[in-house]
Amino acid sequence: MSIALGEVSALLGENGAGKSTLAKILAGSLQPDKGNLSLDGQPTVFSSPREAIDSGIAFIPQELIYVPDLSVAENICLGNLREKKLIVSQAAIYKKAESISRRFGIDVPLSKRMRDVSLASQQKIEILKALGRESKVLILDEPTAALTNDESAELLHLVAELAATGMSIIYISHRLDEIKKSCETAHILRDGLLVASHNVATTDTRVMVEDMLGRKLEARSNDRTPTDHSEPALQTHALTSPAGVDRLNGIDLCVGRNEVVTVYGRRGSGIDKLARSMAGLEKDVAGDIQLFDSHMEVFKNPGSAIKAGVAYVPAERKSQGLLMKANISRNITHLVWPSMAKFFTIRRRDERKRASKAIEAYRIKCRSGSQSITDLSGGNQQKVMIASRMEKKPRFAVMHEPTRGVDVGSRQEIHGQLERIARGGVPVLIFTSDIEEACTAGDRLLVINDGKIVHEIVYPTISDQTIALHIAGAGTTTNEN
């Protein structure tokens, strides 16, 4: 595989394909068993990350690595103060950081602590850190996974500007729409092998996906079995929250029995507040809910949502959805421990048996239920989280960003599982900021903007992306059947 000077190259593949291993080899944190690596035409070997950094290789992982209680300026200059002094003054640090920032035209709040700036700003700061080290090659691993559409567009614009200066960029992402917009070449890995390299401009996205999967992509049929939402499982009436960021401005929606409904919106549109209100996580939301035959006020706490039979899969699986220090079996069963306990004791054999059934049903790829949850790919962690919520036998399921940071194959499987859940009698409401998911995962698509549902498409397809994106930004109210 080769990367040209000033080229933006995508590195694609399912989780486990070898992308991270290759990135670690290029960044010097892992040494290859065999093979050759050349930089500027010269054979080279990196025995440590420091050697790679000194040679001009910068790796920015998905989970950003920084010192949260140091300032932005201090983080930019970390490991890059070539002063021959025992003590470096704060003034010298700020002067150097400001010089780097101005040189590359990237404005960041130098005096703020890293923990106090947005994720989008943290990404820029890590890039500034790399630029300050005169890096020649920049490796970005899922840089936009948790960014808004506007933040992602801004970062991609910065990537294009860096490439124009001669920097070579390796862009690892599951978001093929971004690859199409920003990359020239796509290198595709499968099972540790480079299986294809494509010119992005002349290659259909479907071809790249099929190369990643190693099989033909099964298109979702437009001849879907009609779902009836005239008999609603869930109805909301005038859900409202105080004015401010992500407010709700009179949300009325319904989800039919056996139906999958997707809600799409940009960050700040009200989508996150609406999703969390469905789980009782937003105390300032007012309004009414009808869930099957029960009328009630909007949930004021998670306990009331759970009691009503709502299962909620949160957007942040590591911090909100999983027990990261526990094994797979415990993660699957922990929400139903009370029903499994006998004399205040949980029989581990029963726990393992129950978890094994879920592992098989949700096609979770693992050696056994005793394996640590941290050993799994993002897609399989997501399946574990969904399985754990469904163990409670809920009446209704709310999925908040259900395929964030998930590869193409797992994404397709999860969408299929959610459809089966709905057809099995548990309606599914999906909240997503991924326009492709919004247009392909549901029976109906609702677009939210400025705290209101402004658009509806029945049986959406990938071709509806343009109008949904436009409506999400413009706020025009229409209905389409």
Side-chain angles (χ1 to χ4, degrees):
M1 191 178 87
S2 63
I3 310 295
L5 188 72
E7 182 182 26
V8 184
S9 296
L11 190 59
L12 303 177
E14 291 196 271
N15 287 331
K19 303 186 300 297
S20 294
T21 301
L22 180 55
K24 288 175 183 177
I25 289 172
L26 297 178
S29 60
L30 190 66
Q31 282 69 52
D33 298 305
K34 60 181 179 180
N36 302 303
L37 175 65
S38 295
L39 185 63
D40 291 332
Q42 300 298 315
T44 187
V45 176
F46 301 135
S47 59
S48 69
R50 171 52 63 185
E51 286 189 9
I53 289 169
D54 290 343
S55 297
I57 307 289
F59 176 39
I60 302 178
Q62 183 177 354
E63 301 288 340
L64 299 179
I65 299 171
Y66 56 84
V67 184
D69 288 317
L70 290 185
S71 69
V72 168
E74 289 166 327
N75 272 275
I76 290 172
C77 295
L78 273 177
N80 192 29
L81 288 165
R82 307 290 183 179
E83 310 270 344
K84 293 183 178 179
K85 300 176 182 178
L86 292 175
I87 298 173
V88 180
S89 70
Q90 286 290 313
I93 291 172
Y94 277 83
K95 184 178 179 180
K96 184 177 181 70
E98 187 176 26
S99 171
I100 295 169
S101 177
R102 283 184 177 175
R103 178 181 166 193
F104 294 100
I106 303 173
D107 186 29
V108 291
L110 296 176
S111 61
K112 275 193 173 183
R113 291 190 308 170
M114 277 292 282
R115 68 163 70 251
D116 296 328
V117 300
S118 69
L119 182 57
S121 292
Q122 289 173 1
Q123 290 277 12
K124 290 181 187 177
I125 291 158
E126 289 300 297
I127 290 173
L128 274 177
K129 188 190 295 184
L131 296 174
R133 292 168 171 165
E134 307 295 335
S135 298
K136 304 171 186 175
V137 179
L138 179 64
I139 306 168
L140 295 169
D141 188 2
E142 294 285 355
T144 63
L147 301 187
T148 67
N149 291 331
D150 290 340
E151 290 168 342
S152 296
E154 193 176 341
L155 183 65
L156 292 176
H157 180 69
L158 175 58
V159 165
E161 288 184 335
L162 295 176
T165 67
M167 178 178 279
S168 301
I169 296 169
I170 299 174
Y171 194 91
I172 303 172
S173 179
H174 294 310
R175 301 178 71 167
L176 297 182
D177 56 331
E178 291 181 354
I179 300 302
K180 271 290 188 183
K181 291 175 187 174
S182 59
C183 297
E184 299 159 63
T185 307
H187 301 287
I188 298 173
L189 301 185
R190 188 173 71 245
D191 298 329
L193 298 172
L194 178 69
V195 295
S197 293
H198 294 294
N199 181 313
V200 172
T202 59
T203 305
D204 191 271
T205 301
R206 189 182 186 89
V207 173
M208 292 190 280
V209 172
E210 288 175 349
D211 282 339
M212 281 188 270
L213 299 176
R215 57 180 168 79
K216 292 291 182 183
L217 188 63
E218 297 174 10
R220 191 179 185 191
S221 172
N222 288 333
D223 301 324
R224 284 173 264 182
T225 304
T227 56
D228 183 9
H229 59 276
S230 61
E231 265 193 70
L234 172 78
Q235 280 184 299
T236 70
H237 177 63
L239 297 188
T240 307
S241 66
V245 178
D246 218 28
R247 68 170 182 155
L248 302 183
N249 191 16
I251 295 285
D252 295 327
L253 64 80
C254 74
V255 180
R257 299 167 192 258
N258 307 108
E259 190 179 30
V260 180
V261 173
T262 60
V263 180
Y264 170 75
R266 295 169 179 263
R267 296 281 174 81
S269 65
I271 186 170
D272 293 319
K273 183 174 282 286
L274 181 57
R276 288 168 56 82
S277 72
M278 292 292 97
L281 294 167
E282 294 289 344
K283 294 182 179 180
D284 63 350
V285 175
D288 300 314
I289 289 178
Q290 179 179 341
L291 188 59
F292 295 97
D293 297 326
S294 301
H295 296 259
M296 62 198 82
E297 280 189 283
V298 66
F299 307 123
K300 296 300 183 183
N301 56 68
S304 59
I306 292 167
K307 187 177 179 180
V310 176
Y312 174 66
V313 170
E316 302 294 338
R317 59 176 172 266
K318 290 185 178 180
S319 60
Q320 300 171 5
L322 294 170
L323 307 174
M324 297 309 294
K325 293 185 178 181
N327 63 23
I328 297 168
S329 292
R330 186 138 310 169
N331 269 281
I332 290 173
T333 61
H334 73 280
L335 294 176
V336 292
W337 277 353
S339 66
M340 296 173 61
K342 293 183 179 179
F343 304 109
F344 305 102
T345 302
I346 297 166
R347 296 175 64 182
R348 297 305 173 201
R349 186 175 63 182
D350 293 342
E351 182 184 60
R352 289 192 296 269
K353 186 177 179 181
R354 189 159 184 165
S356 293
K357 288 182 180 178
I359 288 168
E360 184 177 354
Y362 287 87
R363 299 175 67 179
I364 298 164
K365 295 176 183 176
C366 61
R367 294 188 299 274
S368 72
S370 61
Q371 194 175 350
S372 171
I373 192 71
T374 57
D375 291 343
L376 300 187
S377 68
N380 284 297
Q381 287 181 355
Q382 202 72 16
K383 291 177 190 176
V384 168
M385 190 162 58
I386 293 170
S388 71
R389 272 59 180 177
M390 298 311 296
E391 281 294 302
K392 285 186 69 66
K393 308 297 181 192
R395 303 169 71 201
F396 191 89
V398 176
M399 304 284 161
H400 194 180
E401 303 286 3
T403 61
R404 177 182 286 173
V406 167
D407 65 59
V408 176
S410 295
R411 178 191 181 95
Q412 198 176 32
E413 282 187 12
I414 289 170
H415 287 167
Q417 288 166 355
L418 296 182
E419 186 173 0
R420 285 191 292 275
I421 287 169
R423 303 298 186 256
V426 181
V428 176
L429 184 57
I430 297 173
F431 293 90
T432 180
S433 57
D434 184 324
I435 187 59
E436 184 179 335
E437 176 168 69
C439 290
T440 57
D443 304 303
R444 279 188 301 131
L445 164 61
L446 306 177
V447 179
I448 185 172
N449 188 7
D450 194 25
K452 299 184 291 287
I453 300 295
V454 295
H455 190 65
E456 176 183 284
I457 302 175
V458 178
Y459 299 138
T461 65
I462 202 74
S463 61
D464 293 306
Q465 287 186 88
T466 302
I467 190 169
L469 281 169
H470 172 71
I471 298 297
T476 307
T477 304
T478 58
N479 280 296
E480 197 174 286
N481 291 303

